[in-house]
Amino acid sequence: MTSEISYTVEEVANLLKVSKLTVYDLLKKGEIPSFKVGRQMRINSKDLDSFISGKKTESPAETLPPSTSRKNQVNDTGTRNLLISGQDMVLDILGKHLEGKGNYKALRSYEGSLNSLLAMYKGECDIVSLHMFDGDTNEYNVPYVKKILIGYQYTIINLISRKAGFMVQKGNPLNITNWPDLNKNNIRLINREIGSGARILLEEQLRIHHLSSSDIEGYDRIETSHLSVASSISSGEADVGVGTEKAAKIVGLDFIPLITERYDLVMINNKENNEILNILTDVLNSASFKKEIQALGDYDISQTGQIIYKTS
């Protein structure tokens, strides 16, 4: 029988950044399946992934009146909705801090980096998070923003940096250490969706190393989050996937660091965003925010709050 990783209620609460009471309520309503081991409730990783994926398909716009846009929506209390894109848990903490600094309501979109940037171009997102590697310049994010946000004035500001690389089974039994190892016949990859930062990193590294995706077993097998990729490896369905150190540790995998990726935020520079951009900068540079991020572990905050690029 294939082994399946499972979580306690407390672990799920930590992953979702909610209270244990909220998790128990979700279990009671049947929104997340569970089972008992003795007196302890357990949640299978696949069931948790299905719950998260279901929530990702529910755009924050659906909580707003149908005739109004999700972006820049001002509700009856005068609160402005801020749509923040991306998947890292740090963004949930950021949203909480932004709400504490003004009359704002943080809404979340879980699209990948490229789709989020395209949504910003179409005026559908307020704050976009990016971790897109460009193999021609060895630079993160700026080359992509310059190509996509044509005609806009914008600011790119650092959120955090983090290690990206291979998530592998405990003990790394296949000795996977570098990008060319993916071409070995006995190695099964689990990939991310097109447009995600992890997928872009993989595609750029294959291009740089003159490797063909058609030679990689499992290249077309897709999961839509770092945690889902990690769970697939842990259960034995795959041998390796591109992801973050944090996701590997959560699931109990080994991690092979290959690059430090800069995880940045982008905002459009205009009159209606002046206040929130100033608040965002203040939050990112605040001791309280940095302390909370540092407590999570596996994040580099040495550049947090720094302006990476700003159009003149």
Side-chain angles (χ1 to χ4, degrees), residues 145-216:
V145 178
K146 286 182 176 180
K147 291 175 183 177
I148 293 175
L149 293 187
I150 298 172
Y152 283 96
Q153 300 295 307
Y154 51 83
T155 296
I156 304 174
I157 186 168
N158 180 248
L159 177 61
I160 49 95
S161 296
R162 62 189 187 185
K163 297 291 185 182
F166 291 148
M167 299 185 290
V168 297
Q169 293 172 6
K170 205 69 177 174
N172 193 10
L174 298 179
N175 193 29
I176 303 168
T177 61
N178 54 45
W179 299 103
D181 285 343
L182 296 178
N183 270 154
K184 292 180 179 178
N185 292 332
N186 62 333
I187 290 177
R188 300 166 299 160
L189 175 75
I190 183 74
N191 209 347
R192 285 289 305 279
E193 75 278 13
I194 292 174
S196 66
R199 176 69 171 255
I200 290 170
L201 174 61
L202 174 60
E203 290 173 343
E204 285 292 87
Q205 294 296 339
L206 294 184
R207 180 174 66 87
I208 291 169
H209 289 88
H210 307 290
L211 302 172
S212 173
S213 60
S214 62
D215 295 330
I216 300 175

Side-chain angles (χ1 to χ4, degrees), residues 218-238:
Y219 189 85
D220 294 326
R221 290 187 57 209
I222 304 299
E223 291 288 355
T224 57
S225 73
H226 291 297
L227 188 60
S228 297
V229 170
S231 296
S232 294
I233 297 166
S234 179
S235 66
E237 296 174 19

